[in-house]
């Protein structure tokens, strides 16, 4: 300070000031990363609820781990997704791009990988994992098991490491299950929503043994009133009033197990980014073991193994977990 005052008195010196240290524009609170996305603080209750900001200190993802969103397609020109999308596929019309004409797939994609810390819109759970848009549902939000199976096979053959399936029905299908097995045998992580009918009737593809099944929680941490449940449930994730990208370069808050599932798909992508050596079944094991137990002690039909926890999962995946998180 004395040196600055001395220089300020010198008529040949225009100004004198300290050399301040600048840092990257990541706000950190208690070690967590807080992105500057416009809607994050006001609407994205879901990410802090599963410790995502703390998890970002361990992994923000990598471009090499691609997440396929097998759904209604994706808004290919959405400014909060542009640059994060790979080439995709349209199983409804193979000659057309996988453009979303419903909104559902765009919303799911944003939960996984909307551009984070870009000063606008919402933050995705992953910063760098790319999204593969695969359209298997038409403009009414419907699609056959055949189109879904074709979409899964295409995603596997074109490099997807994680596949999100926010779709389903209560009838299984042999060709669909064959496609699921095809993906699983090729070390792809398969994540699926359980359904929104408040029933324990198994829904497919979530109930296939090769698939990791996800139900939804509300803002209070309980099972959402609409969420399906049952003995096949693996974990739960936030699914009520989830803010994300939407068609027409817009944003929307939607509810459903469809919104819960991509949280888990994104976590799987972060895990595979942090530790590429893990197999798909090992990724499943990490997410189950690191989940926060809810409801009855141990696995139960309401919450499965519990609520996903990003930081605990990534600690476990990278060998930095405290003893209680690995138990």
């Amino acid at each position: 300070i004395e040196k600055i005052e001395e220089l300020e008195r010198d008529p040949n010196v225009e100004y004198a000031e300290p050399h301040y240290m600048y840092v990257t524009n990541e706000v950190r609170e208690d070690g967590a990363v807080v992105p500057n996305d416009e809607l994050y603080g006001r609407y994205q209750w879901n990410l802090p609820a599963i410790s995502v900001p703390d998890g970002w200190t361990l992994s923000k993802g990598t471009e090499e781990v691609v997440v396929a969103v097998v759904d209604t397609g994706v808004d290919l020109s959405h400014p909060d997704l542009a640059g994060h999308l790979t080439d995709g596929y349209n199983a409804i019309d193979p000659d057309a791009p996988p453009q979303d004409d419903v909104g559902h797939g765009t919303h799911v994609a944003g939960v996984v990988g909307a551009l984070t810390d870009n000063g606008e819109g919402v933050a995705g759970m992953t910063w760098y994992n790319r999204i593969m848009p695969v359209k298997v549902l038409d403009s009414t939000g419907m699609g056959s098991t055949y189109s879904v199976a074709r979409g899964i096979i295409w995603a596997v053959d074109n490099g997807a490491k994680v596949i999100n399936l926010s779709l389903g029905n209560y009838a299984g299908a042999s060709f669909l299950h064959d496609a699921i097995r095809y993906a699983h045998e090729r070390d792809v992580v398969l994540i699926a929503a359980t359904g929104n009918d408040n029933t324990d009737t198994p829904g497919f593809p979530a109930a296939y043994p090769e698939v990791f099944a996800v139900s939804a929680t509300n803002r209070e941490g309980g099972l959402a009133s609409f969420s399906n449940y049952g003995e096949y449930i693996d974990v739960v994730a936030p699914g009520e009033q989830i803010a994300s990208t939407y068609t027409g370069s817009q944003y929307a808050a939607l509810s459903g197990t469809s919104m819960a599932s991509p949280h888990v798909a994104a976590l799987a992508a972060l895990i595979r980014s942090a530790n590429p050596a893990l197999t798909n079944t090992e990724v499943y094991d990490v997410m189950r073991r690191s989940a926060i137990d809810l409801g009855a002690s141990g696995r139960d039909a309401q919450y499965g193994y519990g609520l996903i926890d990003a930081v605990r999962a990534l600690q476990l995946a990278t060998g930095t977990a405290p003893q209680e998180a690995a138990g």
Side-chain angles (χ1 to χ4, degrees), residues 114-192:
L115 295 173
T116 303
D117 209 39
N118 65 338
E120 64 177 272
V122 295
M125 266 188 67
T126 71
W127 293 49
Y128 305 121
N129 296 96
R130 293 181 297 159
I131 306 298
M132 177 186 288
V134 181
K135 183 174 178 62
V136 299
L137 305 179
D138 63 20
S139 59
T140 69
M142 303 290 286
S144 68
T145 54
Y146 180 70
S147 66
V148 175
R150 287 173 61 204
I152 290 170
I153 293 169
W154 190 94
V156 174
D157 290 346
N158 286 272
K161 302 298 183 185
V162 178
I163 294 178
N164 184 83
L165 297 157
S166 288
L167 46 78
N169 205 327
Y170 298 106
S174 296
F175 184 49
L176 176 58
H177 198 181
D178 284 344
I180 292 290
R181 292 191 190 99
Y182 179 83
H184 189 263
E185 289 166 0
R186 285 154 182 78
D187 196 36
V188 175
V189 169
L190 295 149
I191 310 295

Side-chain angles (χ1 to χ4, degrees), residues 20-92:
Y20 296 103
M21 298 298 295
Y22 276 46
V23 297
T24 57
N25 287 323
E26 294 174 1
V27 180
R28 292 176 179 266
E29 297 178 359
D30 299 325
V33 178
V34 182
N36 63 14
D37 301 80
E38 184 180 8
L39 303 178
Y40 175 78
R42 284 182 290 167
Y43 299 108
Q44 291 190 269
W45 66 272
N46 46 312
L47 301 191
I50 54 175
S51 302
V52 170
D54 289 302
W56 283 332
T57 65
L58 296 169
S59 174
K60 293 178 181 176
T62 59
E63 289 187 357
E64 292 74 21
V65 178
V66 175
V67 181
V69 173
V70 176
D71 211 290
T72 62
V74 173
D75 184 348
L76 304 177
S77 61
H78 197 294
D80 224 0
L81 293 169
H84 260 197
L85 304 177
T86 71
D87 292 337
Y89 175 65
N90 188 332
I92 303 298

